[in-house]
Amino acid sequence: MPTHLTVHAAEPGPVIDRHIFGNFAEHLGRCIYDGLWVGPDSKVPNVRGWRSDLVAALRQIRLPNLRWPGGCFADDYHWREGIGPREKRPRRINAHWGGVVETNAVGTHEFLDLCEQIGCEPYLAGNVGSGSPAELRDWVEYCNAAAGSLADLRAANGRREPWKVRLWGVGNENWGCGGNMTAEYYANEYRRFATYVRDFPNAPLYRVAGGARNDDFHWTDVQMREAFKGPIGGPMLQGLSLHYYVVPGDFPPKHPATGYNHDGWKTVMALGWKIDDHIRGHRAVMDRYDPAAKTALVVDEWGSWYAVEPGTNPGFLYQQQTIRDAVLASLTLNIFINHCERVRIANLAQTVNVLQAVALTEEGGGRLVLTPTWDVMGFYAAHQDARRLPVHSDAATLKHEGMTYPAVSATASLAADNSVTVTLCNTDPAAPAEITLALTGRTPVVSEARLLASADLNTCNTFDHPRAIASRPFDSIRVNGTQVTATLPPGAIASLRFA
Ligand code: AHR
């Protein structure tokens, strides 16, 4: 039975914020050190220490923002340790991730230089758990003030112009690694910290409160109740975060990223789809306090989380990827797009060598490989700042272990140049999906069609076979008058552009 999709091309809805397609880079394992950062003296081509091939790959997917320095690391990070001459910076133990020595070689100046090289907005996560409001206030001033002692210090360290960093997280997972606080205690702390995290002239801030994980609606309720209406009436928070990881078998992760069967595939799809319910729940709570959706839901950590690759440091969270993760990424991004009235920032965890990365690098600055998730992020770049189009679908609902998910998931948007992009995935690992698609009010003219699929579900991109899975032209698509027909192979993703 084909799946019928109708894209209502003449009914553009809300803008899909480009920041939904952001990434996250933590001082964890080989994400920053020996991942993005190779150092200025490395043989690996780099610009001021940042690996050029990786920067180019992130530019290619039009990465809109990058969250840093954590994660759990953020609430143990003291920004002053990462400025000034590199050789004089303190060496600390990274207690969260493998107990390795953190050299602080990458600090504020280096990270903000990376963002300028990529052309993305920085999203800095401040320390609430072990820091103070004064420390966070000073970091904002150091980055954003045009004058004063902290601006002078910044200039002495090589940067005269303020960076005007807009996106600031006020803590991370403060119910856990960020201080083990109760919702009520954190809400108070948030109000205290947010008071001092100030706007500077021409540098208004977007403050994101540390949010819930999964379906902890109580946490969201308390933050909205306490911080939405600030002391002078306006919201004290522009965003409230949410973290959701797909962990087959739950924490601690025990299932490897590869070598799974159809059951293992279905578990990931079903767990992936659960974030739809979670977002609905958090939206309903937020709507009660903020019906105009002034405060965004910021899903600033999401992705798959498996057992680490054999022989790698368990604290480094290095995992491989297959087409299953690419379909999970497509499914998740479709959910974010469907909730784009409220979900306006999201960050895939993490950029390189950690969890569901878009790239992997060989140890010691060796070869680089792009993962299938990188291809998906490339497909979805077309939706950045476009207007969502309603999609009507009669896709079957699949069931697994008491959970449900759609057999085919699709989203569509209208860009400023009047082109329509449809992104869709077949979540079934065993059966192809026959699709018929109609664009109401338009005769479909396909300007580009691409497919990401893999004959063997467990294939990975490796350093020896770097593009074993790679997007390719989707040749089997047919246009017949007003109807488009296509057959998606089992477990595949497609992107269709209509002029
Ligand atoms: O992304 C890895 C870790 O997962 C982050 O540091 C933390 O915020 C989350 O628990």
Side-chain angles (χ1 to χ4, degrees), residues 182-196:
T182 63
E184 290 75 10
Y185 186 86
Y186 173 73
N188 233 26
E189 286 294 272
Y190 178 80
R191 288 172 65 97
R192 192 163 80 106
F193 274 70
T195 305
Y196 301 100

Side-chain angles (χ1 to χ4, degrees), residues 24 26 28 71-72 97 172-173 243 245 301 305 350 355:
F24 167 40
E26 181 166 11
L28 192 178
C72 293
W97 306 116
N172 169 77
E173 297 195 351
H243 289 180
Y245 285 100
E301 289 186 30
W305 192 325
Q350 297 195 5
L355 301 176

Side-chain angles (χ1 to χ4, degrees), residues 154-453:
R154 183 187 68 227
N157 286 331
R159 173 79 184 202
R160 179 157 300 283
E161 284 305 302
W163 285 287
K164 298 185 182 168
V165 176
R166 184 177 69 107
L167 303 172
W168 289 87
V170 181
N172 169 77
E173 297 195 351
N174 302 91
W175 39 263
C177 63
N180 281 309
M181 302 175 194
T182 63
E184 290 75 10
Y185 186 86
Y186 173 73
N188 233 26
E189 286 294 272
Y190 178 80
R191 288 172 65 97
R192 192 163 80 106
F193 274 70
T195 305
Y196 301 100
V197 174
R198 295 197 177 99
D199 293 356
F200 283 87
N202 304 316
L205 304 188
Y206 191 105
R207 298 167 188 80
V208 181
R213 87 186 258 256
N214 305 350
D215 57 356
D216 184 355
F217 305 128
H218 171 71
W219 185 278
T220 295
D221 188 61
V222 173
Q223 307 320 314
M224 290 301 287
R225 187 185 74 210
E226 299 302 328
F228 182 66
K229 277 222 174 79
I232 49 168
M236 282 188 94
L237 74 176
Q238 285 67 47
L240 176 57
S241 127
L242 170 68
H243 289 180
Y244 181 68
Y245 285 100
V246 167
V247 193
D250 212 344
F251 286 105
K254 28 200 155 312
H255 292 265
T258 53
Y260 53 85
N261 56 19
H262 284 178
D263 249 27
W265 171 286
K266 290 175 190 168
T267 301
V268 165
M269 295 304 124
L271 290 174
W273 189 252
K274 271 180 103 163
I275 196 175
D276 185 60
D277 267 349
H278 297 343
I279 292 175
R280 277 175 208 283
H282 291 290
R283 277 186 77 172
V285 173
M286 294 175 84
D287 285 350
R288 283 212 308 276
Y289 297 95
D290 173 25
K294 289 185 183 154
T295 296
L297 187 61
V298 173
V299 191
D300 51 16
E301 289 186 30
W302 68 271
S304 55
W305 192 325
Y306 305 114
V308 298
E309 287 298 307
T312 64
N313 187 328
F316 281 15
L317 312 186
Y318 178 87
Q319 66 187 40
Q320 248 299 357
Q321 267 188 58
T322 66
I323 190 75
R324 178 174 69 165
D325 301 285
V327 176
L328 172 68
S330 167
L331 196 61
T332 307
L333 293 173
N334 285 347
I335 294 168
F336 295 162
I337 290 171
N338 286 333
H339 289 287
C340 72
E341 295 88 343
R342 188 64 86 171
V343 177
R344 297 198 285 268
I345 301 179
N347 301 80
L348 172 69
Q350 297 195 5
T351 312
V352 56
N353 295 332
V354 172
L355 301 176
Q356 192 173 346
V358 296
L360 303 172
T361 63
E362 267 180 324
E363 279 186 55
R367 293 169 289 179
L368 168 99
V369 70
L370 300 171
T371 68
T373 299
W374 178 85
D375 293 84
V376 174
M377 297 307 276
F379 284 0
Y380 279 75
H383 291 308
Q384 292 189 16
D385 296 335
R387 290 182 68 187
R388 189 181 69 202
L389 294 172
V391 180
H392 178 262
S393 163
D394 66 358
T397 298
L398 303 179
K399 290 201 177 77
H400 184 66
E401 293 169 348
M403 301 176 278
T404 59
Y405 57 99
V408 171
S409 162
T411 46
S413 69
L414 178 70
D417 65 0
N418 210 34
S419 64
V420 168
T421 296
V422 180
T423 40
L424 62 164
C425 59
N426 176 10
T427 65
D428 193 324
E434 282 174 49
I435 310 286
T436 71
L437 187 148
L439 297 182
T440 58
R442 279 197 185 211
T443 307
V445 178
V446 181
S447 58
E448 193 181 13
R450 297 197 67 82
L451 177 72
L452 185 67

